[in-house]
């Protein structure tokens, strides 16, 4: 028997592009550039304990969060790689207050939103972190790129993905035709197809939530968390396993493969939720829906929310379809929209 053929990311992207004769190749090239930047960031992540790249740089970002040295490095690396490609007109980063226009390429067809290093508070303790990205086609190519090119619903996404830097480094992405995962083979320096056509189970046994904030949750969310713990006041249930890393990429990647629900609900001190719609929730919702899952804010489909600002936040319930539906049922039972 011959060895199984290894398909690398560039080869796979080229193969898929041929299936769409009208494709110009720009979207594929952007995905390849993201893959290149991911390899460089991965190198620094793996060397973090050996070089002066750990810790905070002593300032906060637009979100009010401490900026870690790796945050800043990853942000610069992805912006540089995307800018040099000349294929996107602008970049919006979770780390920057305003959009970044790419000099000389204001009429390019695409814009990219990126969370350069999700879960960066875990960097210093060697826990999995990640990168999240999403790609939109600009609405009006006759105008100069502006913020309105980024304020699109998630259902208009052309592509989205994430990179998880863990025991192995993986890039998972979709362009709206299923979800595929590629694992970085350090011996050849290439992302190789390892998880073809990822499908999330309809039901899982894992729930992921910051349960330390339980007292700040709404009654509907509390009731669903009780259900997950097997102590529901409304419906009999067997307890799920609580798994919470504190990195959306890491938590959701596990649940995507094994089945489960990830929740970051609104709280009494963060009524709009904490996670960002453009940088985290839209791309992850797009991926999970393409894998057969579900993503809502408890009332509305995430991908149908109209963004009104770059750093808009939203609650999110995302993962296995039946688990998210059950969460919505509890929320509806105890709450009314706008209450």
């Amino acid at each position: 028997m011959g060895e199984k053929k290894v398909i690398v990311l560039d080869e796979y992207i080229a193969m898929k592009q041929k299936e769409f004769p009208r494709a110009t190749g720009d979207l594929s090239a952007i995905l390849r550039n993201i893959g290149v930047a991911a390899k460089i960031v991965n190198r620094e992540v793996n060397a973090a304990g050996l070089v002066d790249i750990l810790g905070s740089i002593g300032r906060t970002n637009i979100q009010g969060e401490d900026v870690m040295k790796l945050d800043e490095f990853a942000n610069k690396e992805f912006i540089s790689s995307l800018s040099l490609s000349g294929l996107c007109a602008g970049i919006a980063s979770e780390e920057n207050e305003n959009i970044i226009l790419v000099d000389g390429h204001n009429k390019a067809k695409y814009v990219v939103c990126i969370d350069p290093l999700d879960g960066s508070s875990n960097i210093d303790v060697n826990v999995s972190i990640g990168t999240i990205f999403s790609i939109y086609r600009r609405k009006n190519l006759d105008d100069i790129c502006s913020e309105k090119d980024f304020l699109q619903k998630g259902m208009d996404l052309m592509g989205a993905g994430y990179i998880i830097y863990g025991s192995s480094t993986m890039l998972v992405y979709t362009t709206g035709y299923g979800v595929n995962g590629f694992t970085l083979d350090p011996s050849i320096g290439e992302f190789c197809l390892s998880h073809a056509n990822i499908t999330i189970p309809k039901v899982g046994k894992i729930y992921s939530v910051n349960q330390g904030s339980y007292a700040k949750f709404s009654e509907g969310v509390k009731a669903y968390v009780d259900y997950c713990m097997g102590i529901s006041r409304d419906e009999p249930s067997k307890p799920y396993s609580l798994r919470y890393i504190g990195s959306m990429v890491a938590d959701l990647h596990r649940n995507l493969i094994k089945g489960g629900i990830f929740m970051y609900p609104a709280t009494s001190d963060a009524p709009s939720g904490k996670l960002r719609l453009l940088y985290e929730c839209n791309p992850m919702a797009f991926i999970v829906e393409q894998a057969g899952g579900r993503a809502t804010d408890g009332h509305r489909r995430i991908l149908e929310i109209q963004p009104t600002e770059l750093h808009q936040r939203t609650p999110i319930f995302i993962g296995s379809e039946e688990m998210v539906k059950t969460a919505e049922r509890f929320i509806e039972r105890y709450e009314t929209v706008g209450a």
Side-chain angles (χ1 to χ4, degrees), residues 8 11 21-22 34-35 54 80 87 90 143 200 240 262 289 292 294 299 317 333-334 336 339:
V8 301
E11 181 183 2
R22 295 177 61 189
I34 289 172
L54 290 175
S80 174
L87 299 172
D143 289 342
I200 187 170
Y240 297 137
F262 173 88
E289 283 199 7
R294 186 175 179 88
H299 306 286
F317 301 80
R333 183 178 300 164
Y334 282 86
T336 56

Side-chain angles (χ1 to χ4, degrees), residues 126-328:
N126 201 25
V127 175
S128 295
I129 53 181
T131 296
I132 309 172
F133 63 89
S134 53
I135 306 167
Y136 290 94
R137 185 180 176 91
R138 295 175 57 211
K139 291 293 188 182
N140 189 348
L141 298 178
D142 294 328
D143 289 342
I144 292 175
C145 180
S146 67
E147 191 173 293
K148 67 182 180 182
D149 288 311
F150 296 86
L151 299 180
Q152 299 187 49
K153 294 181 180 179
M155 59 196 297
D156 294 327
L157 275 165
M158 298 298 295
Y162 62 83
I163 301 105
I164 180 168
Y165 311 100
S167 54
S168 60
T169 296
M170 279 190 68
L171 186 154
V172 177
Y173 86 93
T174 179
T175 54
Y177 299 92
V179 181
N180 292 281
F182 299 78
T183 300
L184 183 62
D185 182 343
S187 68
I188 60 173
E190 295 285 358
F191 282 103
C192 302
L193 181 63
S194 56
H195 296 67
N197 299 314
I198 296 172
T199 302
I200 187 170
K202 292 290 184 186
V203 179
K205 297 180 180 180
I206 297 169
Y207 75 107
S208 306
V209 66
N210 181 4
Q211 203 152 314
S213 296
Y214 179 90
K216 300 177 183 179
F217 294 157
S218 67
E219 288 305 308
V221 175
K222 286 179 181 177
Y224 180 66
V225 172
D226 290 346
Y227 175 86
C228 292
M229 290 192 290
I231 57 172
S232 174
R233 68 194 93 164
D234 300 297
E235 302 178 24
S237 62
K238 293 182 179 180
Y240 297 137
S241 296
L242 172 63
R243 297 287 185 269
Y244 185 69
I245 298 169
S247 162
M248 186 186 194
V249 168
D251 279 310
L252 202 47
H253 177 72
R254 177 198 54 238
N255 292 0
L256 184 67
I257 303 299
K258 293 188 173 183
I261 184 172
F262 173 88
M263 299 176 279
Y264 214 115
T267 57
S268 56
D269 55 0
S272 297
K274 180 183 178 183
L275 299 184
R276 270 63 59 164
L277 178 61
L278 289 181
Y279 308 108
E280 297 160 317
C281 298
N282 269 347
M284 287 307 213
F286 190 53
I287 293 165
V288 166
E289 283 199 7
Q290 283 296 312
R294 186 175 179 88
T296 77
D297 66 355
H299 306 286
R300 299 173 294 173
R301 182 185 176 209
I302 290 291
L303 297 183
E304 292 180 355
I305 298 173
Q306 175 62 59
T308 56
E309 56 186 74
L310 282 179
H311 299 282
Q312 183 171 333
R313 299 173 188 257
T314 181
I316 189 168
F317 301 80
I318 181 171
S320 295
E321 182 179 24
E322 294 304 321
M323 298 178 80
V324 176
K325 284 183 175 179
T326 301
E328 291 174 294

Side-chain angles (χ1 to χ4, degrees), residues 9-10 29-45 70 72-85 91 112 114-117 130-133 162-163 165 169-171 184 189-191:
L9 178 63
D10 285 2
I30 290 172
L31 287 168
R32 286 195 292 269
N33 280 357
I34 289 172
V36 170
K39 293 177 192 177
I40 296 170
V41 172
N42 176 70
R43 180 193 66 200
E44 296 300 309
V45 169
L70 267 174
E72 187 171 52
F73 176 86
N75 194 40
K76 288 180 178 178
E77 195 58 49
F78 279 103
I79 289 172
S80 174
S81 183
L82 289 165
S83 298
L84 289 172
S85 75
I91 303 157
V112 177
I114 192 153
D115 180 355
L117 217 56
T131 296
I132 309 172
F133 63 89
Y162 62 83
I163 301 105
Y165 311 100
T169 296
M170 279 190 68
L171 186 154
L184 183 62
E190 295 285 358
F191 282 103

